[in-house]
Amino acid sequence: MPERFGEALRRTRQDAGMTLGDVARLLDVSVVYVSDVERGNRRPFSNERILRVAGLLEADPAPLIAAADVEKGVIEYDITKAKPLEARVVGDLVSGLARGGVTEDQLKKIRRILKDSE
């Protein structure tokens, strides 16, 4: 099972030598709130908050965002910040998935293309 968001956040924070208070001050929230998130008693941070925390911790935000997405059951994507072609592609993909219009073969091809671009 993938690492839960709170566990990933705690590990990343501790690896960076930061305290709950450091993270709380950055986000302008209480230490109790951050502690609750780490213990899984509150939902994962928004992507915006994750990016801010990752910057503070000098960490790659991708694993935190992935853990948050899995836990929330939702992928956050701000299409307003995307380039026009990117917005169309993402919109088409989400629309196709929602209506069941993307085949398993098409998904495999998309996955291969994305993996090749890494």
Side-chain angles (χ1 to χ4, degrees):
M1 177 167 196
E3 187 174 32
R4 295 189 53 90
F5 175 77
E7 294 165 353
L9 175 63
R10 177 181 291 123
R11 181 186 39 74
T12 304
R13 176 182 59 75
Q14 290 174 338
D15 288 351
M18 298 289 181
T19 66
L20 287 168
D22 295 329
V23 173
R25 276 187 293 284
L26 172 76
L27 298 178
D28 196 27
V29 297
S30 73
V31 171
V32 171
Y33 174 74
V34 177
S35 177
D36 281 350
V37 171
E38 284 190 358
R39 289 182 290 124
N41 294 335
R42 290 192 187 236
R43 291 181 56 74
F45 294 151
S46 67
N47 283 359
E48 179 184 333
R49 281 188 168 168
I50 292 171
L51 292 172
R52 288 176 58 199
V53 168
L56 170 75
L57 303 178
E58 296 180 357
D60 178 6
L64 294 171
I65 289 172
D69 289 346
V70 168
E71 200 164 315
K72 291 184 231 176
V74 173
I75 295 173
E76 290 182 37
Y77 180 82
D78 186 353
I79 203 161
T80 64
K81 295 179 183 176
K83 297 175 199 152
L85 178 58
E86 180 183 343
R88 283 196 312 273
V89 169
V90 169
D92 289 347
L93 180 58
V94 170
S95 175
L97 290 169
R99 68 178 195 290
V102 180
T103 68
E104 191 75 20
D105 277 347
Q106 289 170 321
L107 289 172
K108 287 177 183 176
K109 286 178 186 175
I110 292 167
R111 177 122 170 117
R112 273 195 305 276
I113 290 167
L114 293 174
K115 282 184 140 284
D116 287 345
S117 70
E118 291 178 349

